[in-house]
Amino acid sequence: MTLRIIAATLRDLSYIAANLRPEDRAETDFHWSPALLALTALQGFAYVAELDGNPEAGFGAAEQRSGLWIAWSWGTRRMRRCVPGITAHFHAVLGPQVAARGAWRVEARALAANELALRWLGRLGATQRCRLPGYGRNGEDFFLYDWTREGWNHVSLSKAAGAEAAATDPDH
């Protein structure tokens, strides 16, 4: 199975959004069309993980206001197979890109019942900050995670600049 991380397109993200796995649908269920969810995800940095040429997961980060970014990811039932590649890309490219843009804080929210997402956020180095009672559309609880500039001591801005250049390479 060949995994490739590529720049996101509206087409690929729309396909993924139309085929979300149940746990991601529960987190993103705003009654939006797949195209609207995909279009919203194209703000900031957005990537797609392909398995054997088929888009299976989208992920990225977008600036909400000066210095505050929101990280996101969602995918199809085959997303689990993409997690190792997404994790590597997050550390090598996406994290340094966001740091180079002056982020002071990056937030992510996950459904409290989505144990896989909660473990993955921990493995990505995010800190669990608080429970968000009733945050979901149907009153579900979520958890707020974040990364702050103080936690990015290992990210040098010279590496970040190199990562931005690498991210523009269509083969990366």
Side-chain angles (χ1 to χ4, degrees):
M1 212 166 278
T2 304
L3 174 70
R4 210 168 65 125
I5 305 295
I6 61 171
T9 65
L10 182 59
R11 178 187 152 272
D12 287 347
L13 289 175
S14 294
Y15 171 84
I16 297 164
N19 294 284
L20 287 178
R21 57 197 185 131
E23 52 270 41
D24 288 338
R25 186 168 311 287
E27 287 183 350
T28 60
D29 188 6
F30 306 116
H31 291 297
W32 290 359
S33 69
L36 183 56
L37 181 58
L39 188 59
T40 302
L42 284 171
Q43 309 304 309
F45 299 112
Y47 295 96
V48 165
E50 282 185 346
L51 280 177
D52 295 329
N54 197 54
E56 301 294 349
F59 65 99
E63 190 169 27
Q64 300 299 295
R65 63 169 169 75
S66 183
L68 172 64
W69 288 66
I70 301 294
W72 59 273
S73 69
W74 29 264
T76 70
R77 293 182 191 276
R78 292 179 53 179
M79 180 178 179
R80 282 186 177 192
R81 296 177 186 169
C82 302
V83 167
I86 294 170
T87 300
H89 193 82
F90 176 87
H91 289 298
V93 178
L94 183 59
Q97 280 180 319
V98 170
R101 287 283 182 95
W104 289 104
R105 177 184 181 89
V106 180
E107 295 181 349
R109 290 161 185 78
L111 191 63
N114 190 345
E115 293 178 19
L116 184 62
L118 301 179
R119 283 195 313 268
W120 188 31
L121 284 165
R123 287 187 188 130
L124 286 172
T127 301
Q128 187 182 88
R129 294 296 177 183
C130 64
R131 187 177 202 94
L132 301 169
Y135 186 82
R137 191 177 67 78
N138 294 311
E140 305 91 344
D141 291 353
F142 274 64
F143 278 105
L144 172 66
Y145 282 77
D146 73 10
W147 298 264
T148 60
R149 177 66 89 179
E150 293 78 28
W152 296 334
N153 301 355
H154 64 285
V155 177
S156 79
L157 292 181
S158 63
K159 281 185 183 175
E164 282 185 338
T168 60
D169 179 355
D171 292 331
H172 261 62

Short mmCIF file of all heavy atoms in Angstrom, two decimals, residues 53-83:
data_model
loop_
_atom_site.label_atom_id
_atom_site.label_comp_id
_atom_site.label_asym_id
_atom_site.label_seq_id
_atom_site.Cartn_x
_atom_site.Cartn_y
_atom_site.Cartn_z
N GLY A 53 -3.39 6.11 -4.33
CA GLY A 53 -3.99 7.10 -5.22
C GLY A 53 -5.39 7.55 -4.83
O GLY A 53 -5.95 8.42 -5.49
N ASN A 54 -5.96 6.99 -3.77
CA ASN A 54 -7.30 7.38 -3.36
C ASN A 54 -7.24 8.26 -2.11
O ASN A 54 -6.59 7.90 -1.13
CB ASN A 54 -8.13 6.13 -3.05
CG ASN A 54 -9.60 6.43 -3.01
OD1 ASN A 54 -10.14 6.97 -3.97
ND2 ASN A 54 -10.25 6.08 -1.93
N PRO A 55 -7.89 9.43 -2.12
CA PRO A 55 -7.86 10.31 -0.94
C PRO A 55 -8.61 9.67 0.23
O PRO A 55 -9.77 9.29 0.08
CB PRO A 55 -8.55 11.58 -1.42
CG PRO A 55 -9.35 11.20 -2.61
CD PRO A 55 -8.70 9.99 -3.20
N GLU A 56 -7.93 9.55 1.37
CA GLU A 56 -8.52 8.88 2.53
C GLU A 56 -8.59 9.75 3.77
O GLU A 56 -9.37 9.47 4.67
CB GLU A 56 -7.76 7.59 2.86
CG GLU A 56 -7.72 6.58 1.74
CD GLU A 56 -9.07 5.97 1.38
OE1 GLU A 56 -10.04 6.15 2.14
OE2 GLU A 56 -9.16 5.32 0.33
N ALA A 57 -7.77 10.80 3.85
CA ALA A 57 -7.78 11.65 5.04
C ALA A 57 -7.34 13.06 4.65
O ALA A 57 -6.48 13.24 3.80
CB ALA A 57 -6.84 11.10 6.11
N GLY A 58 -7.95 14.03 5.29
CA GLY A 58 -7.55 15.41 5.15
C GLY A 58 -7.10 15.93 6.50
O GLY A 58 -7.61 15.48 7.54
N PHE A 59 -6.14 16.83 6.49
CA PHE A 59 -5.65 17.41 7.74
C PHE A 59 -4.97 18.73 7.43
O PHE A 59 -4.57 19.00 6.30
CB PHE A 59 -4.71 16.47 8.48
CG PHE A 59 -3.42 16.18 7.75
CD1 PHE A 59 -2.25 16.86 8.08
CD2 PHE A 59 -3.36 15.23 6.75
CE1 PHE A 59 -1.06 16.60 7.41
CE2 PHE A 59 -2.18 14.96 6.07
CZ PHE A 59 -1.03 15.64 6.41
N GLY A 60 -4.88 19.57 8.47
CA GLY A 60 -4.24 20.85 8.27
C GLY A 60 -4.40 21.76 9.47
O GLY A 60 -4.75 21.32 10.56
N ALA A 61 -4.15 23.04 9.23
CA ALA A 61 -4.27 24.05 10.27
C ALA A 61 -4.57 25.39 9.61
O ALA A 61 -4.06 25.67 8.52
CB ALA A 61 -2.98 24.14 11.09
N ALA A 62 -5.40 26.18 10.28
CA ALA A 62 -5.77 27.49 9.75
C ALA A 62 -5.72 28.52 10.87
O ALA A 62 -6.09 28.23 12.01
CB ALA A 62 -7.17 27.43 9.15
N GLU A 63 -5.29 29.71 10.50
CA GLU A 63 -5.21 30.80 11.48
C GLU A 63 -6.61 31.37 11.73
O GLU A 63 -7.32 31.72 10.79
CB GLU A 63 -4.26 31.89 10.98
CG GLU A 63 -3.95 32.92 12.04
CD GLU A 63 -2.81 33.85 11.65
OE1 GLU A 63 -2.59 34.05 10.44
OE2 GLU A 63 -2.14 34.37 12.55
N GLN A 64 -6.98 31.47 12.99
CA GLN A 64 -8.28 32.02 13.38
C GLN A 64 -8.19 33.52 13.64
O GLN A 64 -9.11 34.26 13.36
CB GLN A 64 -8.80 31.32 14.63
CG GLN A 64 -9.00 29.84 14.43
CD GLN A 64 -10.01 29.56 13.33
OE1 GLN A 64 -11.18 29.89 13.46
NE2 GLN A 64 -9.56 28.97 12.23
N ARG A 65 -7.10 33.91 14.24
CA ARG A 65 -6.78 35.32 14.47
C ARG A 65 -5.28 35.35 14.68
O ARG A 65 -4.64 34.31 14.75
CB ARG A 65 -7.54 35.90 15.66
CG ARG A 65 -7.21 35.25 16.99
CD ARG A 65 -7.78 36.03 18.16
NE ARG A 65 -7.70 35.31 19.39
CZ ARG A 65 -6.59 35.13 20.12
NH1 ARG A 65 -5.44 35.60 19.71
NH2 ARG A 65 -6.63 34.47 21.25
N SER A 66 -4.70 36.52 14.78
CA SER A 66 -3.26 36.65 14.88
C SER A 66 -2.67 35.74 15.96
O SER A 66 -2.96 35.91 17.14
CB SER A 66 -2.90 38.11 15.17
OG SER A 66 -1.50 38.25 15.21
N GLY A 67 -1.90 34.76 15.56
CA GLY A 67 -1.20 33.88 16.49
C GLY A 67 -1.98 32.67 16.96
O GLY A 67 -1.41 31.75 17.54
N LEU A 68 -3.30 32.61 16.72
CA LEU A 68 -4.12 31.46 17.14
C LEU A 68 -4.52 30.66 15.92
O LEU A 68 -5.15 31.18 15.00
CB LEU A 68 -5.38 31.93 17.88
CG LEU A 68 -6.39 30.82 18.19
CD1 LEU A 68 -5.80 29.79 19.16
CD2 LEU A 68 -7.68 31.41 18.74
N TRP A 69 -4.18 29.38 15.95
CA TRP A 69 -4.46 28.48 14.84
C TRP A 69 -5.33 27.33 15.33
O TRP A 69 -5.29 26.97 16.50
CB TRP A 69 -3.17 27.92 14.26
CG TRP A 69 -2.37 28.92 13.49
CD1 TRP A 69 -1.76 30.05 13.98
CD2 TRP A 69 -2.10 28.89 12.11
NE1 TRP A 69 -1.13 30.72 12.97
CE2 TRP A 69 -1.32 30.03 11.81
CE3 TRP A 69 -2.44 28.03 11.07
CZ2 TRP A 69 -0.87 30.32 10.53
CZ3 TRP A 69 -1.98 28.31 9.80
CH2 TRP A 69 -1.21 29.44 9.53
N ILE A 70 -6.09 26.74 14.42
CA ILE A 70 -6.90 25.55 14.70
C ILE A 70 -6.38 24.42 13.81
O ILE A 70 -6.29 24.58 12.59
CB ILE A 70 -8.39 25.79 14.40
CG1 ILE A 70 -8.94 26.95 15.22
CG2 ILE A 70 -9.20 24.51 14.63
CD1 ILE A 70 -8.98 26.73 16.71
N ALA A 71 -6.03 23.29 14.43
CA ALA A 71 -5.61 22.10 13.69
C ALA A 71 -6.83 21.19 13.53
O ALA A 71 -7.70 21.14 14.40
CB ALA A 71 -4.50 21.37 14.44
N TRP A 72 -6.88 20.47 12.42
CA TRP A 72 -8.03 19.61 12.14
C TRP A 72 -7.57 18.38 11.37
O TRP A 72 -6.52 18.38 10.73
CB TRP A 72 -9.09 20.37 11.34
CG TRP A 72 -8.56 20.87 10.02
CD1 TRP A 72 -7.91 22.05 9.79
CD2 TRP A 72 -8.57 20.18 8.77
NE1 TRP A 72 -7.53 22.14 8.48
CE2 TRP A 72 -7.93 21.01 7.83
CE3 TRP A 72 -9.06 18.95 8.35
CZ2 TRP A 72 -7.77 20.65 6.50
CZ3 TRP A 72 -8.90 18.59 7.03
CH2 TRP A 72 -8.25 19.44 6.11
N SER A 73 -8.37 17.34 11.44
CA SER A 73 -8.18 16.14 10.61
C SER A 73 -9.48 15.35 10.60
O SER A 73 -10.21 15.34 11.58
CB SER A 73 -7.03 15.28 11.13
OG SER A 73 -7.38 14.68 12.35
N TRP A 74 -9.75 14.74 9.48
CA TRP A 74 -10.87 13.83 9.35
C TRP A 74 -10.64 12.95 8.14
O TRP A 74 -9.82 13.27 7.29
CB TRP A 74 -12.23 14.53 9.26
CG TRP A 74 -12.30 15.91 8.66
CD1 TRP A 74 -12.29 17.08 9.35
CD2 TRP A 74 -12.40 16.27 7.28
NE1 TRP A 74 -12.39 18.14 8.47
CE2 TRP A 74 -12.47 17.67 7.21
CE3 TRP A 74 -12.46 15.54 6.10
CZ2 TRP A 74 -12.59 18.35 5.99
CZ3 TRP A 74 -12.56 16.21 4.89
CH2 TRP A 74 -12.63 17.61 4.86
N GLY A 75 -11.34 11.80 8.12
CA GLY A 75 -11.08 10.89 7.02
C GLY A 75 -12.13 9.82 6.84
O GLY A 75 -13.16 9.79 7.53
N THR A 76 -11.84 8.95 5.92
CA THR A 76 -12.70 7.81 5.61
C THR A 76 -12.36 6.67 6.57
O THR A 76 -11.47 6.79 7.42
CB THR A 76 -12.48 7.34 4.17
OG1 THR A 76 -11.18 6.74 4.07
CG2 THR A 76 -12.60 8.48 3.16
N ARG A 77 -13.02 5.54 6.38
CA ARG A 77 -12.74 4.37 7.24
C ARG A 77 -11.30 3.89 7.10
O ARG A 77 -10.80 3.20 7.98
CB ARG A 77 -13.71 3.24 6.91
CG ARG A 77 -15.14 3.56 7.28
CD ARG A 77 -16.06 2.39 6.98
NE ARG A 77 -17.45 2.75 7.09
CZ ARG A 77 -18.12 2.77 8.22
NH1 ARG A 77 -17.54 2.43 9.34
NH2 ARG A 77 -19.39 3.13 8.24
N ARG A 78 -10.63 4.25 6.02
CA ARG A 78 -9.24 3.83 5.83
C ARG A 78 -8.24 4.81 6.41
O ARG A 78 -7.03 4.64 6.25
CB ARG A 78 -8.97 3.63 4.33
CG ARG A 78 -9.75 2.42 3.78
CD ARG A 78 -9.54 2.22 2.32
NE ARG A 78 -8.12 2.16 2.01
CZ ARG A 78 -7.63 1.97 0.81
NH1 ARG A 78 -8.43 1.80 -0.22
NH2 ARG A 78 -6.33 1.94 0.60
N MET A 79 -8.71 5.82 7.13
CA MET A 79 -7.82 6.84 7.68
C MET A 79 -6.77 6.25 8.62
O MET A 79 -5.63 6.70 8.65
CB MET A 79 -8.62 7.91 8.43
CG MET A 79 -7.74 8.99 9.03
SD MET A 79 -8.74 10.24 9.83
CE MET A 79 -7.45 11.32 10.44
N ARG A 80 -7.16 5.24 9.39
CA ARG A 80 -6.21 4.64 10.35
C ARG A 80 -4.90 4.24 9.69
O ARG A 80 -3.85 4.36 10.28
CB ARG A 80 -6.82 3.42 11.03
CG ARG A 80 -7.77 3.76 12.11
CD ARG A 80 -8.21 2.52 12.82
NE ARG A 80 -9.08 2.88 13.92
CZ ARG A 80 -9.46 2.08 14.84
NH1 ARG A 80 -9.05 0.81 14.83
NH2 ARG A 80 -10.25 2.48 15.81
N ARG A 81 -4.98 3.77 8.47
CA ARG A 81 -3.76 3.37 7.76
C ARG A 81 -2.89 4.56 7.39
O ARG A 81 -1.71 4.41 7.09
CB ARG A 81 -4.12 2.59 6.50
CG ARG A 81 -4.83 1.29 6.81
CD ARG A 81 -5.22 0.58 5.56
NE ARG A 81 -6.03 -0.59 5.90
CZ ARG A 81 -6.69 -1.29 5.03
NH1 ARG A 81 -6.66 -0.97 3.75
NH2 ARG A 81 -7.39 -2.32 5.42
N CYS A 82 -3.47 5.75 7.42
CA CYS A 82 -2.75 6.98 7.07
C CYS A 82 -2.09 7.64 8.27
O CYS A 82 -1.24 8.52 8.09
CB CYS A 82 -3.71 7.97 6.43
SG CYS A 82 -4.56 7.37 4.96
N VAL A 83 -2.51 7.28 9.47
CA VAL A 83 -2.07 7.99 10.68
C VAL A 83 -0.54 8.06 10.80
O VAL A 83 -0.01 9.13 11.10
CB VAL A 83 -2.74 7.41 11.94
CG1 VAL A 83 -2.09 7.90 13.21
CG2 VAL A 83 -4.23 7.77 11.93
#
